[in-house]
Amino acid sequence: QFASSCGPLLRQGMTIVDVSNTETPGAAIRLSELLPHVQVVKALNTISAFTLEGFTQVDSPAFISGSPDAKTAVTNRLIRPLGFSPLDLGGLQASITQEELPMRFFVKWKEALSVAACIMLLWTGYCVLWY
């Protein structure tokens, strides 16, 4: 839907920074297929909103992937001015790995949620019966 509505407004050679994290990897590649006249760069998707708001130390790593010219422009105009150190992962194919990075920290989130819910239910039952 984005490509059909906004695609004609984007100039030839313009750079788009994809910051999304989706359940199915390959969003940046799909975006580049839908908008062949623009350059797509995957960046800032592994940085938390808390960090972007400036509440943590600067000079944090920022993964970036895409075409060399577009990566250089994004690095010089966006990544470095925000205080991040760019870590080049390679071409746009590397964005698949980059999109999976945030999810690697939460591989077993369902199990953790289940344990937390069980503990909460047990504690609630204990409090109800005791008091």
Side-chain angles (χ1 to χ4, degrees):
Q1 188 176 10
F2 170 78
S4 61
S5 61
C6 296
L9 302 174
L10 302 172
R11 294 187 312 267
Q12 177 77 25
M14 185 178 268
T15 301
I16 293 179
V17 179
D18 178 16
V19 298
S20 67
N21 286 317
T22 60
E23 289 184 19
T24 55
I29 294 171
R30 178 78 175 123
L31 191 58
S32 70
E33 291 168 353
L34 292 172
L35 302 167
H37 63 286
V38 300
Q39 295 181 344
V40 178
V41 172
K42 185 74 171 184
L44 302 176
N45 68 309
T46 58
I47 300 173
S48 70
F50 186 76
T51 303
L52 287 173
E53 289 176 351
F55 295 113
T56 59
Q57 67 182 15
V58 292
D59 205 29
S60 299
F63 298 105
I64 184 168
S65 58
S67 70
D69 294 338
K71 286 188 294 191
T72 301
V74 169
T75 296
N76 293 335
R77 294 183 183 162
L78 181 66
I79 307 266
R80 284 201 177 107
L82 287 173
F84 298 106
S85 299
L87 291 174
D88 189 353
L89 296 178
L92 203 53
Q93 285 291 20
S95 69
I96 294 173
T97 302
Q98 186 176 345
E99 290 171 356
E100 293 172 347
L101 286 174
M103 301 306 165
R104 289 185 184 174
F105 295 111
F106 305 106
V107 175
K108 299 196 177 223
W109 67 271
K110 291 180 183 177
E111 289 87 354
L113 182 63
S114 299
V115 169
C118 288
I119 291 172
M120 187 181 82
L121 287 173
L122 290 172
W123 182 253
T124 303
Y126 170 78
C127 290
V128 167
L129 292 174
W130 186 258
Y131 297 104

